[in-house]
């Protein structure tokens, strides 16, 4: 039963992420792009977020809010203790050094 519920949660989550303009898409050239999908295994979920360096922290925070909301809709509460719910942020491209410096000069956390 859990797997069926999680499949529905992930489906709704993907839709909400897309609606928020956070669909993780990377351009491969003029007319070609690839859309990354989430990865879930039982009760673990990886949700890729792709954004320009200067927007990545805000996009990650927005995605985290959507994840929290969607899981709550289905009666789940997320575990925010250290080592359980995390964001791995990798800055690349134009503005990456400044974005990385800005993040680590702050509270070193995503708002």
């Amino acid at each position: 039963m859990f797997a069926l519920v999680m499949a529905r949660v992930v489906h709704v989550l993907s839709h909400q992420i897309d609606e928020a303009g956070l669909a993780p898409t990377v351009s491969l050239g003029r007319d070609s792009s690839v859309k990354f999908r989430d990865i879930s295994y039982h009760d673990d979920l990886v949700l890729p977020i792709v954004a320009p360096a200067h927007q990545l922290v805000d996009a990650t925070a927005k995605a985290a809010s959507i994840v929290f909301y969607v899981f709550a809709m289905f009666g789940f509460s997320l575990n925010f203790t250290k080592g359980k719910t995390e964001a791995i942020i990798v800055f690349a491209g134009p503005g990456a050094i400044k974005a990385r410096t800005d993040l680590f000069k702050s509270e070193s956390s995503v708002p």
Side-chain angles (χ1 to χ4, degrees), residues 45-85:
L45 175 70
V46 175
L47 183 66
I49 302 297
V50 177
H54 69 282
Q55 296 174 353
L56 187 56
V57 171
D58 289 340
T60 301
K62 187 175 182 180
S65 295
I66 293 168
V67 170
F68 180 83
Y69 171 75
V70 170
F71 273 74
M73 283 175 36
F74 287 89
F76 289 100
S77 60
L78 301 179
N79 185 347
F80 287 104
T81 57
K82 187 174 182 175
K84 297 307 287 180
T85 301

Side-chain angles (χ1 to χ4, degrees), residues 4-19:
L4 293 174
V5 173
M6 278 303 291
R8 183 70 180 147
V9 170
V10 171
H11 175 77
V12 171
L13 177 59
S14 294
H15 177 74
Q16 293 296 319
I17 290 292
D18 289 353
E19 287 291 311

Side-chain angles (χ1 to χ4, degrees), residues 81-102:
T81 57
K82 187 174 182 175
K84 297 307 287 180
T85 301
E86 299 179 350
I88 299 171
I89 298 179
V90 178
F91 296 104
I97 294 172
K98 181 178 181 337
R100 185 180 307 108
T101 302
D102 290 348

